[in-house]
C-alpha cells in the first residue's frame, strides 16, 4: 500500500469519527499531493509524498512561530494539532544518541 493510499484511508477514518481537525488536515495534505501530481503529470512515489508532507510541516511550524509572536494562542493550539497529524506520516527521527553512535 502506498503512502498516498494510507493517507486516503485515514481521511475516511477521520470522516467516520467526525474528527474535524484531523479531517481538514488530511484533506489539505491530499490537496497538496494532488497539486504536485498535476504539476509532475504523474503519480507521486512515497518519497515524493513525504517531501510534500515535509513542506507542509515546515509551513505549519513557521505559522506556529508567527502566531506565538502575535499572541494568538488559539491558532497556535490548532496549528500544533495539525502538525502532529502530519508528523504521524513521517518516518521516525533519529535521536542524538543514535546519530552520534
Amino acid at each position: 500500500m502506498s503512502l498516498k493510499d494510507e493517507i486516503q484511508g485515514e481521511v475516511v477514518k477521520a470522516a467516520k469519527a467526525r474528527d474535524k481537525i484531523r479531517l481538514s488536515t488530511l484533506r489539505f495534505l491530499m490537496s497538496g499531493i494532488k497539486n504536485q501530481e498535476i504539476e509532475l503529470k504523474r503519480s507521486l512515489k512515497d518519497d515524493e509524498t513525504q517531501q510534500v508532507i515535509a513542506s507542509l510541516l515546515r509551513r505549519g511550524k513557521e505559522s506556529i512561530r508567527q502566531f506565538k509572536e502575535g499572541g494568538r494562542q488559539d491558532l497556535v493550539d490548532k496549528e500544533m494539532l495539525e502538525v502532529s497529524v502530519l508528523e504521524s506520516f513521517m518516518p521516525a527521527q533519529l535521536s542524538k544518541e543514535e546519530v552520534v553512535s
Side-chain angles (χ1 to χ4, degrees):
M1 177 188 288
S2 72
L3 182 57
K4 180 182 172 186
D5 294 336
E6 182 181 333
I7 294 167
Q8 187 61 46
E10 290 297 317
V11 169
V12 172
K13 286 181 188 176
K16 287 181 180 179
R18 297 179 193 230
D19 187 347
K20 290 181 182 180
I21 299 238
R22 186 168 176 82
L23 180 60
S24 68
T25 302
L26 292 172
R27 282 182 174 164
F28 183 64
L29 173 56
M30 288 301 295
S31 172
I33 292 169
K34 186 68 174 172
N35 287 338
Q36 190 68 18
E37 287 178 337
I38 290 169
E39 186 176 314
L40 296 175
K41 296 181 179 156
R42 62 177 172 81
S43 293
L44 296 183
K45 298 175 186 156
D46 281 353
D47 61 326
E48 294 169 322
T49 302
Q50 286 180 342
Q51 289 174 353
V52 172
I53 296 169
S55 172
L56 294 176
L57 276 170
R58 280 191 298 276
R59 266 193 228 161
K61 289 177 180 178
E62 177 62 21
S63 295
I64 289 170
R65 186 188 65 76
Q66 291 177 354
F67 292 146
K68 280 182 181 177
E69 289 175 3
R72 293 295 309 268
Q73 189 59 41
D74 57 329
L75 295 175
V76 170
D77 294 340
K78 180 181 179 282
E79 204 65 39
M80 287 177 77
L81 289 171
E82 291 175 358
V83 164
S84 69
V85 169
L86 293 173
E87 285 176 338
S88 70
F89 293 101
M90 293 297 286
Q93 299 292 318
L94 295 175
S95 67
K96 288 182 181 182
E97 295 80 25
E98 291 172 324
V99 172
V100 172
S101 60

